[in-house]
């Protein structure tokens, strides 16, 4: 058990420090570590865990807590949660101190401008990993693309999109169109 707890800490503490733009930016690397490197979960289990974490109230980093629970039970959840939050909390405390002491400094503006595209790229990587893990093949991927476009271009209720997507996949399943 101690080895699993140390492994959880060793995976999530460094990721905590590179979480630029929010917890969703590290989803691709979390997936790689959990599915490919340590094989704690399958790609589908990861996707299901991600969905549960996003549906639950609280931070998106709840994903890490659920992974910890899956790997080592209660203490795995505690260690994984501390690993993803504690290093960042200490780092932010120090950065906030420097930020207040040097308002509007050139290095602050350069840092902000430089980190924006990095955060965007990390979010795109997470989207790609989740997109490719979808069960249901190209039907599910097509529904995800259509739902994304509709969410960005209209004011449709997301619950309506979920129900419609589930309906389309159910009909495709019944018609034998899903492989």
């Amino acid at each position: 058990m101690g080895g699993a707890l140390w492994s959880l800490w060793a995976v999530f503490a460094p990721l905590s420090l590179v979480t630029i733009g929010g917890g969703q930016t590290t989803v691709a690397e979390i997936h790689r570590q959990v599915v490919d490197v340590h094989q704690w979960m399958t790609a589908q289990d990861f996707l299901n865990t991600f969905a549960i974490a996003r549906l639950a109230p609280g931070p998106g980093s709840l994903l890490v807590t659920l992974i910890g629970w899956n790997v080592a039970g209660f203490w795995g959840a505690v260690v994984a949660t501390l690993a993803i939050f504690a290093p960042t909390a200490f780092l932010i405390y120090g950065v906030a101190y420097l930020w207040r002491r040097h308002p509007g400094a050139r290095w602050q503006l350069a840092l902000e401008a430089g980190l924006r595209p990095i955060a965007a790229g990390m979010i795109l990587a997470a989207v790609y990993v989740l997109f490719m893990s979808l069960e249901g093949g190209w039907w599910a991927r097509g529904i995800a693309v259509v739902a994304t476009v509709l969410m960005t271009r209209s004011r449709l209720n997301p619950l309506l999109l979920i129900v419609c997507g589930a309906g389309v996949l159910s009909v495709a399943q019944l018609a034998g169109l899903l492989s």
Side-chain angles (χ1 to χ4, degrees):
M1 173 88 119
L5 296 177
W6 174 249
S7 293
L8 287 165
W9 183 270
V11 166
F12 294 123
L15 288 176
S16 171
L17 296 173
V18 296
T19 306
I20 299 163
Q24 68 276 11
T25 60
T26 57
V27 170
E29 182 58 18
I30 291 171
H31 179 275
R32 190 180 78 76
Q33 290 289 329
V34 169
V35 174
D36 300 332
V37 175
H38 295 281
Q39 299 173 348
W40 290 328
M41 297 178 154
T42 65
Q44 188 58 49
D45 290 338
F46 181 88
L47 188 62
N48 293 342
T49 303
F50 178 81
I52 291 168
R54 297 309 297 168
L55 287 171
S61 299
L62 175 63
L63 169 65
V64 171
T65 304
L66 296 175
I67 292 168
W69 181 272
N70 186 60
V71 172
F74 173 79
W75 289 112
V78 169
V79 167
T81 302
L82 287 174
I84 204 69
F85 288 114
T88 299
F90 290 117
L91 177 66
I92 291 302
Y93 180 77
V95 169
Y97 175 77
L98 288 173
W99 220 260
R100 278 193 317 267
R101 292 200 61 196
H102 307 283
R106 268 186 154 151
W107 62 268
Q108 286 180 354
L109 301 174
L111 191 60
E112 288 175 356
L115 290 178
R116 277 189 209 113
I118 291 171
M122 292 172 76
I123 291 170
L124 285 173
V127 168
Y128 175 78
V129 165
L130 296 171
F131 184 76
M132 296 311 289
S133 297
L134 283 175
E135 193 173 280
W138 290 105
W139 278 93
R141 292 180 185 123
I143 291 169
V145 168
V146 169
T148 301
V149 169
L150 289 173
M151 285 295 299
T152 58
R153 304 273 185 215
S154 71
R155 293 179 166 250
L156 285 175
N157 187 323
L159 293 176
L160 178 64
L161 293 174
I162 291 170
V163 169
C164 290
V168 169
L169 274 180
S170 295
V171 169
Q173 178 77 37
L174 291 172
L177 299 172
L178 291 178
S179 49

